[in-house]
Each structure stands twice: as C-alpha cells, then as structure tokens.
Amino acid sequence: MRKHPFRKFIGLLLLTSVILIGIFVLQFKTQSVITRTIGSLHVSIYQKENEQHQMVVKNQFEAEYKGIVFYCKEEEPVTAVNSSGEKINLELTDWNAEKKSLSLIFENGTEITFDTAKHEETLFSVGLSKADSIKSVTIPYKFSGSSKIDTSDSTRILIYEKKNGYEFKSPSLSSSSITISSSKNPAVVRAYNPVQKFAFTQLAGLPGTGTAEYNSSIKALRSLAVSKISAALASQPDSVSEMEIAVFVAESSLSGKFNEAIDEVPVSFRNGTKRTYFTAPYFNNLASMTPSLDRHISNLVSMTDNAISRKNLDIFTIDGISDFILQEKKTNRIRNLLAMAVSAGTPNLTQAAAILNVYERIYSAAPETAASLTSLTETCASVIEDNCSLKNEVISLNGVPADSLLTYIQTGSALIEAGQIEGKPSWCDAGRLLVNTALNSVSSMNFHMLASAYQILIKDNQFFPHCDILGYYGNSAVWAWTCAADITYKIDEESIVNINIDFPLSYSHYIIFKGVPTFHGQIEIQQQMFRTDSRFETYNSSGYVYLADDETLLIKSRHKSQKELIRLFCDPTANFSN
C-alpha cells in the first residue's frame, strides 16, 4: 500500500462517497418536502416516515407571502391558549391545497387557512377555524431578507418589498408571532401607498372642522327638531315615536316651556300603549311603566352574558349599554365584558364608534371603569381613520353610502368626545367634519332623522330622560330614571338618606328610583311625613309608592322650591358609597 498512495486515496474517496450517498438516500427515503405555489404564496410542508414506513406530515412548515414567512418547527411550534388559560403546543396533522388557498389542519380541530383570494383591499389573509375549547392561536413569523420594515405597532407593520409597499395587520402582533382569536378577525396583508393613505392630521384647518361651524350646525338641528316634531304632532300624531316626543319635550323645556310641551303631546299618546318607561318622567303612570324598565334591564343582562361568551363587540352598539355598565360596574359581569372588549380583536367601523361612545359616557361618571377600555381608544380611532378618505376637501366613510347620515353622525360624535378626553385635536377635527358633512342637509331632514341625530349629539340637556347613578350599597347601585337636572343621594350622621332633587320651581315630574332599601314607610317630603298611596300621581302634590320586592321607589315630585328634599329613614348601614 505504501508503494501505491494514489490508489489508497481513490479507495478512501470512493468509500466516503458511498457512505454519504447512502446517508442521503436513507434520509430522502425517511424525510421529504412538499412545495406548493399558490399565486404569490410559496409553501413548504415537511414529511417524515412513521413506524409503518408511511410518509406523514411533520410538525414543520413554511409559508411565505410578500416577504412575510409564517412557519412552524419542533422548537418553535404553533401554540394555542385553551379555555382554562393554559398554553399548549399544536401538532400539524394534515393539509389541503385549493386553487387560491392552503389550509393547515392541526389537532383539536384547529385549522389555519392562508388565502390569496383578493377581497376588496385585502390581498392575503391568515384565517382561523377552531374548537370552542381553544381561545386563541399563535403562529410564529419572520421576514425574508428582501423585506424592509418601515413602521410597526401592536396591530400593524408596514413592509416594503422591492418597489411595493404592504400593510400587514393582525388582531395581536408581536415582532415574532401573530395571535388570532376569532374567524371574524383574520390577519391580513393589504397594498399600502403612503401618498394615498388618509390621516386625521390632513384635516387641520379645513372648512367644517372648526368649533364655530359645528356649534352653528348643532343650533340649527335643535331648532328644526322642535319645529318639525311640533308640526307632526299637530298633523300626524300617530307617526311620532316615543323617542321623538322625548326630544320635543326636552328641547322645549330649555326655553321654559316644559308644561306647554307636555300639553302639546296628544292625550292618545299619554294614555295609549306606545309608551314605556322611557317617557315616564314626563307622563306619570310609573307603576305600569316600571315593568318595561325591568324587562329592558333583564334583556341587557342576557345580551351582555351572550356577548362575553361569543366575544361579540356588537354589544357596545346596544341602546342603554353605557348606563348598564355603570349600574353594574362593581360586578364580575362588567369586568368580564370590558376584558372581552380588549381581547376580542380589531372592531369594525360601527363597533369602533360605539366603543368610543361608551368610553366617553362611562369616563365622565367613572374614570376608573373607563380605564379598562383606554388601550382600545387608539385602535378604535385607527379603525375609523382607515375607513375614511378625503377628496376635494370632502370626507367620506369608505363603504358607507353618502345618505347614511346617522353613521356619519355616530362616528363623528365618537371622535369628538374621545378626542377631547384623550387630548387628540385631530380626532375632534375629523369628528366635527363628519358631523357637519351629515348636517349640511339638516334643513331637508324629516323629523325622524332630526330626532335620531339629536339623541346622538345632544348630551347636555338634562331634561332628556336619563339614568343618574346615585351611589352603591356594596356592589349594588342606587340609580334613578329621571329628567331632573341633578339628584344627590347622601346618608347623614343619623343614618337618614337625604335625596335632593333639582327641577324648575312649580313643575311636576316623575322618578323611578332603583336599589333603594326599605325605609319602613317612614318618608319625609317637603318637611312632611307622607303615607304611600296608589293614586299618588293624580294629586296636585308630591307622593310616592314603594315596591319592596325589587327595592323600587316611585316618586312624583311637585316642586315648591327648585331643590326639593326627600328624607328616608332607612336602617343604618356602613356599606354605602357615592
């Protein structure tokens, strides 16, 4: 062998080659990669040989779209959070390719779908189908070397690949993974053109964004609402709804015409079946109206519980939800509702405006409760911003017909109020412009539209029926359904409840108090002890009835002074707070 080193080298080279080729062949036989190209989506799915010598899917894949690489491997798996809050690893079990999409099927009934079909502005989406036992799914991702990242936040990343820009959005987005919790809120990729991208800051100084113009529009709305509803009451009273009558009475009362407005409402309405608790503060019959209030509260309980379980943000669009949150703010139900809102994913346009409106309403009464929604305000404003466009100094809501005026008004009102709280002048500019855009045609609006716009925009008229939170016995609220300017509920050193009611002198109004503990029939009104009387509303004086079963106090308040005092001699308590 020493005499033939070259032969030895060749022999060793051949032996090494045979071994390497054998290893490669063996590995090829036990592992393989399946590749698919679906439009601009490039997918690699890895396989391995099982004990029965069959090729099965490994827990490993890569799916690249526009420089975004979604992936899974043993050391970085797709994970889920189950209904118990436990984080678990998901195992890839199968896959299915169609003409424009690829679905990856995991254990526990979880399915992730990469969809390249274009839907309006969406070029690509990552959707989720899951079992009820799974709350959310997290998918690792990275960027290919050709991608340039411009800006990013908790829901959006701007990506530039070659000369093209893309917006990558997900309900929850970190630097290395996306989290999806609902089939209704997929991660999406959209084309992004920074020149065409609308921003609220573009509106500064435009006609219609100023406070003076806004106030002028509101003044015209208030005046026309009264005149057109008054005309309708005279000519077609049966066409006027309960809410429209409330608008008429409330606005008329600001100019000292409370009694005149009441008298203008037809007797057929006051004594008819169209009435509910809503206008009870004006028209008496408290005992017969209170059950409709109880049904309203019961419906809100049911809808709230259902929304929490289904993570449905539509609950924030329901009339009365802000009052209900304040009434129940110390309960687990409301804590769960607000936590759900934060975790449910990105809201749509209507939901975003509704959440901002709720945020504003509860912020003024209970800032500590509203704080649970603070993290959503930027998201909601961003959703509205993404749905706005500007052309020739005219603002539009994308996909919303120009004649859908109430959507413009609701969205604009939400931005104005939230912008004032958050110190965002650009939100206020956008809100005023949206409202003014809708109210440009205020003179041609019918009384139905005027009343609906009034109910959304006018938040400083205390004559309009409203809920007034007075305090809490432990977790249970004491509150009033009223049209009084102000009601206070205080317990003095002698454990006597002092209720002060502010309403114009000599006028009568009616109040439903909820959550008032028994006072054993000992009540003082206008410095006189009163007895309960089922006919109390028919007398030309104050009076009351107490419904002990549900702690409801019904009061007729006939004002001999602007601020009337009612005293209740309840049992002493140490668990009351304002």
Side-chain angles (χ1 to χ4, degrees):
M1 289 292 287
R2 292 178 183 175
K3 295 180 180 181
H4 304 284
F6 181 73
R7 291 180 181 177
K8 180 179 180 181
F9 171 76
I10 293 299
L12 290 173
L13 181 61
L14 289 172
L15 179 61
T16 302
S17 299
V18 169
I19 293 172
L20 290 174
I21 291 171
I23 293 172
F24 176 79
V25 170
L26 181 62
Q27 186 175 21
F28 183 79
K29 288 179 64 178
T30 58
Q31 297 190 54
S32 64
V33 181
I34 299 171
T35 60
R36 289 287 187 276
T37 298
I38 303 173
S40 298
L41 177 67
H42 304 285
V43 182
S44 298
I45 299 172
Y46 294 79
Q47 294 190 122
K48 63 182 179 181
E49 186 180 277
N50 63 13
E51 295 178 355
Q52 289 75 38
H53 306 292
Q54 297 172 326
M55 299 304 292
V56 296
V57 176
K58 286 183 66 176
N59 193 33
Q60 185 176 356
F61 72 85
E62 286 189 358
E64 179 179 357
Y65 183 85
K66 303 297 185 185
I68 311 168
V69 183
F70 303 94
Y71 68 93
C72 166
K73 50 188 176 181
E74 292 298 335
E75 57 271 27
E76 294 182 78
V78 172
T79 60
V81 174
N82 62 24
S83 55
S84 301
E86 178 186 6
K87 182 178 179 181
I88 58 175
N89 296 339
L90 295 182
E91 188 79 20
L92 181 63
T93 59
D94 203 354
W95 60 279
N96 179 50
E98 296 186 2
K99 186 176 181 180
K100 293 187 177 182
S101 66
L102 177 102
S103 296
L104 299 177
I105 302 164
F106 294 79
E107 60 186 355
N108 296 333
T110 299
E111 186 171 326
I112 297 169
T113 299
F114 301 104
D115 189 355
T116 64
K118 186 176 180 180
H119 300 285
E120 297 179 351
E121 296 181 353
T122 299
L123 304 176
F124 170 76
S125 65
V126 184
L128 173 68
S129 175
K130 61 181 179 63
D132 292 340
S133 60
I134 299 297
K135 295 176 67 175
S136 64
V137 172
T138 298
I139 310 165
Y141 79 91
K142 58 187 177 181
F143 294 104
S144 65
S146 62
S147 300
K148 178 185 176 183
I149 310 305
D150 186 23
T151 58
S152 64
D153 56 34
S154 61
T155 62
R156 183 178 74 157
I157 295 177
L158 300 183
I159 306 162
Y160 291 94
E161 188 188 39
K162 298 179 181 179
K163 295 183 179 181
N164 297 316
Y166 300 97
E167 181 185 48
F168 175 35
K169 297 189 72 173
S170 176
S172 179
L173 180 66
S174 75
S175 60
S176 59
S177 65
I178 63 171
T179 299
I180 307 174
S181 58
S182 169
S183 59
K184 296 180 180 179
N185 290 295
V188 298
V189 175
R190 296 169 178 162
Y192 175 73
N193 186 334
V195 176
Q196 297 178 352
K197 184 71 174 178
F198 171 82
F200 290 149
T201 52
Q202 297 172 11
L203 303 176
L206 288 183
T209 60
T211 302
E213 296 163 282
Y214 177 78
N215 290 341
S216 178
S217 296
I218 295 299
K219 183 178 180 181
L221 167 67
R222 302 180 87 141
S223 176
L224 281 168
V226 170
S227 62
K228 290 195 175 184
I229 295 173
S230 177
L233 286 171
S235 62
Q236 44 182 328
D238 290 343
S239 68
V240 184
S241 72
E242 183 175 32
M243 187 271 289
E244 292 156 2
I245 285 173
V247 168
F248 172 71
V249 174
E251 187 62 22
S252 299
S253 300
L254 290 175
S255 55
K257 297 179 180 179
F258 179 79
N259 285 340
E260 292 87 342
I262 294 293
D263 291 340
E264 198 169 330
V265 175
V267 174
S268 60
F269 174 81
R270 283 181 272 171
N271 296 335
T273 59
K274 292 174 65 175
R275 281 185 54 205
T276 69
Y277 74 91
F278 191 76
T279 53
Y282 304 143
F283 301 119
N284 65 44
N285 298 121
L286 296 183
S288 58
M289 295 296 105
T290 298
S292 66
L293 175 57
D294 294 336
R295 287 192 297 272
H296 173 66
I297 299 300
S298 179
N299 287 338
L300 285 172
V301 169
S302 176
M303 286 188 287
T304 300
D305 289 344
N306 186 56
I308 293 169
S309 65
R310 295 177 177 272
K311 289 197 169 185
N312 187 353
L313 294 174
D314 287 340
I315 185 65
F316 291 95
T317 68
I318 302 299
D319 285 342
I321 189 63
S322 298
D323 293 335
F324 182 68
I325 289 172
L326 292 172
Q327 292 160 12
E328 299 275 307
K329 73 173 188 178
K330 297 191 176 186
T331 66
N332 286 331
R333 174 178 285 113
I334 297 307
R335 283 189 281 270
N336 292 337
L337 173 66
L338 301 181
M340 179 278 288
V342 174
S343 65
T346 306
N348 60 34
L349 175 64
T350 302
Q351 294 167 344
I355 290 170
L356 289 182
N357 272 315
V358 169
Y359 173 72
E360 177 274 328
R361 170 71 175 90
I362 64 177
Y363 181 89
S364 59
E368 74 286 353
T369 303
S372 300
L373 294 177
T374 301
S375 62
L376 268 181
T377 57
E378 288 279 358
T379 299
C380 291
S382 179
V383 167
I384 297 172
E385 189 175 47
D386 288 347
N387 280 276
C388 288
S389 58
L390 186 68
K391 185 177 182 180
N392 298 327
E393 298 188 348
V394 176
I395 194 169
S396 300
L397 289 173
N398 302 331
V400 178
D403 59 354
S404 297
L405 302 182
L406 290 182
T407 302
Y408 278 71
I409 290 169
Q410 288 168 335
T411 307
S413 176
L415 285 174
I416 294 169
E417 301 295 339
Q420 290 172 346
I421 293 171
E422 298 295 298
K424 301 282 188 179
S426 63
W427 296 9
C428 297
D429 287 344
R432 286 190 288 266
L433 185 55
L434 283 166
V435 172
N436 280 328
T437 297
L439 294 185
N440 279 339
S441 59
V442 67
S443 60
S444 62
M445 288 182 179
N446 61 37
F447 70 89
H448 302 298
M449 183 69 72
L450 289 166
S452 296
Y454 184 103
Q455 187 181 21
I456 296 167
L457 293 170
I458 309 305
K459 301 178 181 180
D460 60 352
N461 188 349
Q462 292 298 322
F463 285 105
F464 196 79
H466 60 277
C467 172
D468 197 346
I469 306 294
L470 306 176
Y472 297 85
Y473 285 99
N475 293 337
S476 300
V478 182
W479 56 277
W481 186 252
T482 181
C483 63
D486 185 50
I487 301 176
T488 61
Y489 187 102
K490 304 288 185 182
I491 299 179
D492 64 21
E493 295 178 355
E494 298 178 357
S495 297
I496 300 172
V497 175
N498 293 270
I499 303 174
N500 280 283
I501 304 169
D502 187 344
F503 202 73
L505 177 66
S506 78
Y507 289 0
S508 294
H509 63 110
Y510 307 85
I511 308 170
I512 301 173
F513 287 95
K514 287 287 187 179
V516 177
T518 183
F519 44 89
H520 308 291
Q522 296 185 17
I523 180 172
E524 182 183 286
I525 304 174
Q526 297 167 349
Q527 299 182 336
Q528 294 183 11
M529 298 301 291
F530 269 67
R531 291 183 299 177
T532 185
D533 187 336
S534 60
R535 298 169 296 173
F536 72 102
E537 294 166 294
T538 64
Y539 303 130
N540 190 29
S541 65
S542 297
Y544 85 97
V545 159
Y546 181 69
L547 308 176
D549 288 346
D550 57 359
E551 296 187 326
T552 299
L553 173 62
L554 309 178
I555 289 283
K556 175 182 179 180
S557 187
R558 175 81 168 85
H559 280 246
K560 293 184 178 180
S561 61
Q562 181 173 333
K563 290 190 176 181
E564 291 284 11
L565 172 64
I566 297 175
R567 305 176 78 209
L568 306 178
F569 297 84
C570 302
D571 294 333
T573 181
N575 70 338
F576 179 79
S577 62
N578 288 111

